[in-house]
Amino acid sequence: MPALSSRIARTELAATFAMAARARALKAAGKDIISLSLGEPDFPTPPHVIEAAYEAAKRGETKYPPLSGTAALKEAVREKYRRDQKLNFAPENILITNGGKQAIFNIVMAVTTEGAGDEVIIPAPAWAGYEQTVNFAGATPIFAPCHAAENFVLQPEALEAAITPRTKLLILNYPNNPTGAAITAPALEALAAVMRRHPDIWVLSDDIYEKLLFDGRHYVTLAAVAPDLADRTITLTGVSKTYAMTGWRIGFLAGPQNIMQAAALVQATATSGVSTIGQAAALAALTGPQDFLAARAAAYQARRDIVLAALEAIPNLRCHRPEGAFYVFPDISACLGLATPAGRTLRTDTDFAAALLEEAHVAVVQGSAFAAPNFVRLSTATSEFTLREACDRIRRFCGSLR
Ligand code: PLP
């Protein structure tokens, strides 16, 4: 059989997909599985957004789109940054992508050179997609450790320690997947101070969870906090998480013109412009009513509170308090070394997640998928009723370990 590329050999499908697939298989076999493994809002896409897509299709917006996005959507993205962050981007500073994922792919491919030893700094715990993309590109992921004691926020010393002459890109992600950590303006300023000493490094700020912040917190982003770094700061947002539009595949990149052109070239090579129907939908999302977003953030906050209260009552779990996004990330290290009623010894977080699925029928994702062994990630993007039942199962599972 003809061989596949080394790029394929070094790229693994994220464990989030693997766990979801196993959960689906058990469900198909008739088991009552609660899945907390996928990072996807359970709310529906707002009806006015769906209507706008339908109207666009009927109007004939069904031809090849401009590579960098429709003029109307780019204008709406510019307005969003003006409104939310007082950031002024020109149309040439905006690129519409096929979801946040393609935005990250475009940037990593645009700034790293395969086989050249280029490094990308990923503060860990981190969403698995970054490591996968960096490996695919033939660069090296360098994980900068972030700790619960520091709210899982990247510290300037850890950033400085991770930088080498080969560093090409730093990826920031707040609110964070998987920890739910948010960042403050002073903490961003401290990171900006480090970056000023290293003028050859790009920064990608993945703000895909920008609107999902709790306890009265406000979204801040590097581009607004450190305007002097504008010539190398790239900001990523999108509609997937904010407007419950994961299936529409629309993301937004904002940054200097040269990197936007390079990112557009990557996109031109892979997919060309983004679905016209999806762009019409995203336009309606950005320009339509925004008041429901606060209600959704409040719903996620209430779910966080339910899950935290339940998990904090379990003696062998330790839980950090998420400040945004829709994940809870308990430390399960006190469970390791113990055995389940079915006789499985839990040596790793992966053993824990697998046993929890097989024996307690709750699907979560092992922390090692996020470069954070000894943790598991629970998604709270499901009903309060389901979350209570899931936490009850987790409590019984943890209590049964010997
Ligand atoms: N960035 C982070 C941190 C994510 O968690 C995700 C999705 O899980 C993405 C980017 C990808 O977003 P999209 O669904 O728009 O591709």
Side-chain angles (χ1 to χ4, degrees):
M1 195 194 283
L4 299 174
S5 73
S6 59
R7 178 175 295 116
I8 294 300
R10 65 176 177 253
T11 308
E12 268 177 30
L13 202 59
T16 39
F17 292 111
M19 197 56 80
R22 180 68 189 137
R24 263 197 307 276
L26 285 171
K27 234 179 219 169
K31 303 278 190 247
D32 165 30
I33 301 293
I34 298 180
S35 184
L36 307 182
S37 61
L38 272 191
E40 173 161 68
D42 56 321
F43 296 108
T45 297
H48 70 276
V49 169
I50 295 172
E51 203 54 45
Y54 181 49
E55 290 300 327
K58 282 199 297 188
R59 270 197 312 274
E61 289 181 29
T62 53
K63 306 289 187 192
Y64 280 127
L67 174 59
S68 64
T70 64
L73 181 56
K74 287 173 71 173
E75 182 50 39
V77 173
R78 292 174 65 207
E79 177 53 28
K80 163 192 136 60
Y81 280 111
R82 269 197 296 268
R83 181 181 68 206
D84 293 356
Q85 294 292 312
K86 311 224 170 349
L87 285 170
N88 270 311
F89 290 109
E92 307 77 65
N93 298 126
I94 305 290
L95 177 66
I96 311 299
T97 63
N98 284 290
K101 248 193 154 168
Q102 189 184 33
I104 296 160
F105 183 85
N106 289 349
I107 296 300
V108 171
M109 293 300 278
V111 305
T112 61
T113 300
E114 181 169 21
D118 287 353
E119 295 174 352
V120 177
I121 297 178
I122 305 173
W127 179 53
Y130 303 134
E131 180 183 8
Q132 186 180 349
T133 308
V134 171
N135 283 333
F136 187 87
T140 305
I142 302 293
F143 292 108
C146 305
H147 304 288
E150 291 138 4
N151 268 340
F152 286 117
V153 169
L154 178 64
Q155 300 298 296
E157 304 75 28
L159 172 57
E160 187 69 71
I163 293 174
T164 76
R166 292 182 296 280
T167 308
K168 288 288 178 291
L169 174 68
L170 162 68
I171 300 179
L172 297 177
N173 171 223
Y174 301 101
N176 181 264
N177 175 6
T179 64
I183 197 161
T184 61
L188 272 175
E189 179 47 51
L191 297 177
V194 176
M195 295 313 290
R196 284 185 192 110
R197 294 197 287 273
H198 301 280
D200 297 331
I201 303 176
W202 294 97
V203 187
L204 172 62
S205 185
D206 176 351
D207 301 350
I208 201 97
Y209 296 96
E210 57 172 334
K211 301 288 184 193
L212 297 176
L213 278 163
F214 307 149
D215 310 317
R217 278 183 185 77
H218 294 291
Y219 162 63
V220 284
T221 192
L222 185 69
V225 169
D228 60 310
L229 300 182
D231 64 343
R232 54 200 170 104
T233 300
I234 305 147
T235 307
L236 160 58
T237 58
V239 294
S240 298
K241 317 286 178 175
T242 302
Y243 299 98
M245 292 175 65
T246 45
W248 297 81
R249 312 307 306 130
I250 306 285
F252 313 133
L253 276 173
Q257 193 179 350
N258 64 339
I259 184 77
M260 288 304 105
Q261 278 172 348
L265 189 60
V266 177
Q267 186 159 302
T269 307
T271 58
S272 297
V274 171
S275 150
T276 48
I277 312 303
Q279 292 197 67
L283 176 64
L286 288 191
T287 55
Q290 306 295 309
D291 43 337
F292 70 96
L293 296 181
R296 285 195 179 172
Y300 285 120
Q301 180 176 324
R303 293 164 174 186
R304 173 206 62 181
D305 291 343
I306 287 168
V307 172
L308 260 193
L311 298 190
E312 278 169 353
I314 300 175
N316 39 14
L317 297 185
R318 264 188 298 138
C319 252
H320 166 262
R321 189 178 186 78
E323 299 160 328
F326 39 66
Y327 307 104
V328 178
F329 201 55
D331 179 336
I332 51 109
S333 47
C335 300
L336 300 185
L338 303 179
T340 68
R344 293 182 172 86
T345 300
L346 306 181
R347 293 207 173 75
T348 65
D349 56 325
T350 305
D351 292 345
F352 181 98
L356 185 68
L357 177 58
E358 302 292 337
E359 297 183 33
H361 297 163
V362 179
V364 297
V365 184
Q366 62 271 38
S368 48
F370 306 99
N374 300 343
F375 291 82
V376 294
R377 188 194 77 175
L378 284 62
S379 165
T380 59
T382 187
S383 74
E384 294 185 4
F385 177 83
T386 305
L387 288 172
R388 284 184 213 279
E389 170 62 20
C391 288
D392 213 41
R393 292 185 191 183
I394 294 170
R395 178 183 57 76
R396 277 184 266 130
F397 175 79
C398 288
S400 72
L401 301 176
R402 293 288 174 268

